[in-house]
Amino acid sequence: MQTNRNPIWQQRLDEYRERLRTPAPIVVEGKLTRMAGLTLEAEGCEAAVGDRCLIKSQTGTTTEAEVVGFAGEKLFLMPIGSINGLAPGSRVIPIGRAGDVPVGYGLLGRVIDGTGRPLDGRGPLKAEEKFPLQGRTINPLKRHPISEPLDVGVRAINTMLTVGGGQRLGLFAPSGVGKSVLLGMMTRFTSADVIIVGLIGERGREVKEFIDHILDAEARKRSVVVATPADLPPLMRMHGAATATSIAEYFRDQGKHVLLLMDSLTRYAQAHREIALAIGEPPATRGFPPSVFAQLPHLVERAGNGDQGGGSITAFYTVLMEGDGNSDPVAESARAILDGHIVLSRSLAESGHFPAIDIEASISRAMNQITTQEHQQLARDFRHYFSLYEQNQDLLNVGAYKPGSNPELDRAIALRPTLKRFLQQGMNEKVSLQESLDQLAVVLQSDQTEQELAE
């Protein structure tokens, strides 16, 4: 597919080509001296943090590794592939910075790993360009503000938690409550131009199920899936998240509106924890070293709107909650750096309510910027009656409330079945943003019944 380059992408391409013209440094080889767990120690070679090295043993085994730290003359490396066959004294050969990510329209419809290699058996990638794995910082004053809503095709989100183009939200959920299915719905129903899915640290079975059963043929044509399952080394899992973000950045610089779905931010943080602890960083909060909480905003801040005149990356990061989530340090850190959070409830999921979105615990911080006054009033009214019923549910369950005592509560009771039904949606049912708003207005008319809404 031929495309016209915009000035933003041309500038980044020129910067990349300039790096290629820079003379390569003299390579000084070293040797492998120690291995503890997955951490390799090398001496005698010169390399910077983030550089790649080839480790060649006397038996012919070759493994690629990345420098993740140093202490004096020692380098700490983390393997990217298998470490079988490595032995003390193996040659350590620096080969430069971590590989750039292949990008281009040829990636659409493909499944790749964290290094950009295809996993789908459909031949080599037809990548047009390369993009830096760690991206490039954007001046916050040059970012385009969030100003337009993005239709995700899910009624509860479109109306009560409206998402803006370039917004970054967390999908907070315990395991087994339907977060992957909800991500699949947004992938199929969204109005975004390009969809990037990062499956980070998931079970291999779930990766195949997501691709085969949750994505449909139309969604695959405009999607790129980056999969780094749980059995891969922690460095590969971290690179999977960075690769997915780099591909999204490329399409944003092409002026496209990108939807980035990353499942999950928790697995990314756990991979970084494994590396940090392995090289000797002390744990701080529930076993997580401080560098983990410095790395999370670095990844998240790469999403969002680009420079004026560019495209946008609207991102959803899933966060696995332990218990009630209030004591989970990753969840708390994610709440602080994201532009809103959507909470999925286990109790709702167990009662057959799908999607199991806890409206009272969820918020979109950009909603007031991108919606009309009428929409905001309808959402406030909905939340008022929904919460009023929840607050008095115990009183109603024991029959202690006398109808007529509180007209507002009486109306909340009458609307309750319709409000609950409004928040539910079939996984194959698409509801556009305008349809969602029309149905919300109907729901709040006191003379409507559940049967009339269904018709």
Side-chain angles (χ1 to χ4, degrees):
M1 182 184 298
Q2 297 296 324
T3 59
N4 295 323
R5 299 195 188 284
N6 65 30
I8 299 172
W9 174 248
Q10 188 62 50
Q11 177 187 353
R12 295 193 180 184
L13 181 60
D14 291 342
E15 292 173 358
Y16 174 74
R17 286 173 173 165
E18 181 62 30
R19 291 203 310 273
L20 292 181
R21 287 193 290 266
T22 304
I26 298 175
V27 175
V28 179
E29 294 186 14
K31 64 178 182 179
L32 190 65
T33 59
R34 183 172 181 266
M35 181 175 72
L38 289 178
T39 306
L40 309 176
E41 292 185 12
E43 292 183 359
C45 55
E46 296 180 0
V49 173
D51 282 359
R52 292 280 179 88
C53 296
L54 286 180
I55 304 176
K56 295 185 177 182
S57 68
Q58 294 85 344
T59 60
T61 301
T62 301
T63 298
E64 191 171 349
E66 184 173 316
V67 180
V68 294
F70 58 87
E73 299 298 321
K74 293 182 179 180
L75 293 181
F76 300 128
L77 302 100
M78 191 68 64
I80 294 174
S82 172
I83 58 176
N84 291 332
L86 294 184
S90 297
R91 296 168 59 202
V92 179
I93 308 170
I95 57 175
R97 300 294 296 176
D100 292 327
V101 178
V103 293
Y105 287 85
L107 268 66
L108 295 178
R110 302 300 301 270
V111 182
I112 63 175
D113 67 7
T115 62
R117 293 176 296 201
L119 296 175
D120 50 15
R122 295 171 50 194
L125 297 176
K126 297 179 180 179
E128 301 167 7
E129 305 289 351
K130 295 280 189 176
F131 198 91
L133 181 65
Q134 299 303 328
R136 182 175 71 91
T137 303
I138 298 178
N139 186 331
L141 298 181
K142 293 184 177 180
R143 282 186 184 265
H144 184 70
I146 299 172
S147 57
E148 297 292 334
L150 178 73
D151 187 352
V152 297
V154 180
R155 181 168 50 220
I157 298 177
N158 278 342
T159 54
M160 309 305 298
L161 305 164
T162 311
V163 178
Q167 190 174 354
R168 298 156 304 186
L169 294 101
L171 192 61
F172 292 73
S175 59
V177 296
K179 69 179 186 307
S180 295
V181 177
L182 180 57
L183 289 178
M185 289 176 65
M186 290 189 284
T187 303
R188 297 193 305 272
F189 302 153
T190 183
S191 60
D193 302 319
V194 177
I195 302 135
I196 311 297
V197 181
L199 301 176
I200 312 301
E202 295 297 313
R203 293 182 286 270
R205 173 185 62 80
E206 292 181 334
V207 172
K208 183 170 178 57
E209 286 181 358
F210 186 92
I211 296 168
D212 291 346
H213 303 302
I214 296 181
L215 285 178
D216 61 16
E218 281 301 314
R220 283 197 207 106
K221 292 178 182 178
R222 55 188 176 125
S223 301
V224 182
V225 178
V226 181
T228 51
D231 59 335
L232 293 180
L235 194 61
M236 279 292 288
R237 282 176 263 148
M238 288 190 65
H239 281 182
T243 296
T245 307
S246 291
I247 296 171
E249 287 176 312
Y250 164 79
F251 284 107
R252 177 183 64 189
D253 290 349
Q254 296 294 316
K256 302 297 182 182
H257 297 292
V258 182
L259 179 65
L260 172 63
L261 306 174
M262 192 168 294
D263 187 12
S264 68
L265 194 65
T266 302
R267 303 297 187 205
Y268 173 82
Q270 290 172 345
H272 186 86
R273 176 177 63 180
E274 291 179 43
I275 295 173
L277 293 177
I279 64 176
E281 186 178 352
T285 307
R286 296 194 65 185
F288 284 92
S291 63
V292 172
F293 304 106
Q295 191 69 21
L296 288 178
H298 175 74
L299 177 71
V300 170
E301 282 297 320
R302 293 175 61 184
N305 285 331
D307 297 334
Q308 295 285 348
S312 65
I313 300 175
T314 306
F316 284 85
Y317 300 92
T318 66
V319 180
L320 301 176
M321 294 193 302
E322 300 177 3
D324 60 3
N326 293 327
S327 58
D328 188 329
V330 176
E332 287 303 302
S333 178
R335 280 192 179 94
I337 61 179
L338 293 170
D339 303 323
H341 49 271
I342 299 173
V343 179
L344 301 187
S345 164
R346 182 176 297 281
S347 61
L348 287 175
E350 291 174 347
S351 68
H353 184 115
F354 180 84
I357 299 174
D358 186 342
I359 291 297
E360 293 182 292
S362 305
I363 188 172
S364 169
R365 295 191 179 115
M367 182 172 174
N368 289 341
Q369 302 170 217
I370 56 176
T371 55
T372 64
Q373 291 291 333
E374 180 184 4
H375 181 174
Q376 294 169 30
Q377 186 60 53
L378 289 171
R380 282 194 293 268
D381 290 345
F382 187 103
R383 285 180 178 272
H384 169 70
Y385 290 114
F386 190 88
S387 298
L388 185 60
Y389 184 94
E390 292 292 325
Q391 294 164 9
N392 292 275
Q393 191 168 20
D394 291 341
L395 194 65
L396 296 170
N397 288 340
V398 299
Y401 175 72
K402 181 179 180 181
S405 302
N406 184 336
E408 287 285 290
L409 181 55
D410 288 340
R411 189 177 185 210
I413 295 170
L415 287 172
R416 178 65 175 182
T418 310
L419 299 184
K420 285 198 66 175
R421 186 178 181 279
F422 176 83
L423 296 176
Q424 299 180 54
Q425 184 174 332
M427 64 175 294
N428 295 316
E429 177 189 359
K430 176 182 179 180
V431 186
S432 70
L433 178 59
Q434 187 57 52
E435 290 172 339
S436 301
L437 292 175
D438 293 342
Q439 292 177 16
L440 177 61
V442 170
V443 161
L444 292 172
Q445 294 178 16
S446 59
D447 57 345
Q448 293 293 318
T449 66
E450 185 178 2
Q451 181 61 33
E452 287 173 328
L453 178 64
E455 294 173 354

